[in-house]
Amino acid sequence: MASSLTLSPVNYPPALQDIVALFEALPDEEKRENLIAYADGAPHCAPKAGETFDLEDTRKDEECTDTVGVFLRVDPTARATHFRIALGPHVQTLTRAMTAILCKGLDGASPEAVLEVPQDFVPKIVGGQLVRLRSQTVYYILTRMKGAAKAWLNRERAAAGAGAPASS
C-alpha cells in the first residue's frame, strides 16, 4: 500500500498515471470507446450498503446536469483515501467516465496527494476537442473530490488542535 501513497514525477498517484498512460497511447476513436466503457462502470463507484464515510457531500451544482454525491473514507493508519461517488440519472456520459477514472485512479492516495493532482491529465484522457466542448463538466468531479479531501484535512487539523480524532 505504501507505493500508492507516493506520487509519480508528474504528481499523479500511480493508479491515475497508469490510466493516463493508457489513454495517451490510444488513437481518438479508441479513447472515446474507452471513455464509454469507463462511463458504463460508474455505477460501481456508488456507495454500497453498510459503508460508512468520514465525509459526505451531496448537492446539485450548476456545472453538472444532476445531483452528485461525493463520499470519502480515509484509512487513518495508511492515510489512504477511498472515494465513492453517487451520480443522478441525468449526469452526462463524460462526467460518468471521469467519475470511474478518478475513483480508480485516486483510490489509496493520501488526501494531500489528491489535492496536488494537477488538472493537466484531463485533456490527455478525453482529448482537446472534448475538453473545449465540455470544459466545466470534465473538471467537475475532480474539483468535488479535491474539495472533500480538503474538508477532511481541515477537520483533521481542527481535531488535532482540539486533541480529538479526525473522524466523526
Side-chain angles (χ1 to χ4, degrees), residues 8-82:
S8 68
V10 289
N11 291 331
Y12 304 142
L16 183 58
Q17 177 58 45
D18 291 346
I19 295 168
V20 170
L22 167 72
F23 274 87
E24 282 185 310
L26 297 174
D28 285 348
E29 182 62 31
E30 288 183 42
K31 282 183 184 182
R32 284 190 290 277
E33 291 170 8
N34 277 276
L35 284 169
I36 291 168
Y38 268 103
D40 290 345
H44 298 292
C45 299
K48 311 227 181 323
E51 283 184 308
T52 58
F53 300 96
D54 299 310
L55 191 135
E56 300 179 19
D57 177 21
T58 301
R59 65 178 189 258
K60 164 72 176 86
D61 292 320
E62 69 178 53
E63 299 95 336
C64 196
T65 57
D66 206 341
T67 301
V68 172
V70 177
F71 302 83
L72 172 62
R73 181 175 48 85
V74 179
D75 177 336
T77 306
R79 291 194 62 74
T81 60
H82 304 285

Side-chain angles (χ1 to χ4, degrees), residues 126-146:
V126 303
Q129 183 179 3
L130 275 178
V131 167
R132 284 188 295 281
L133 293 173
R134 306 267 187 233
S135 62
Q136 291 181 350
T137 306
V138 295
Y139 299 106
Y140 177 73
I141 296 294
L142 178 61
T143 301
R144 290 285 307 276
M145 292 171 89
K146 283 184 171 193

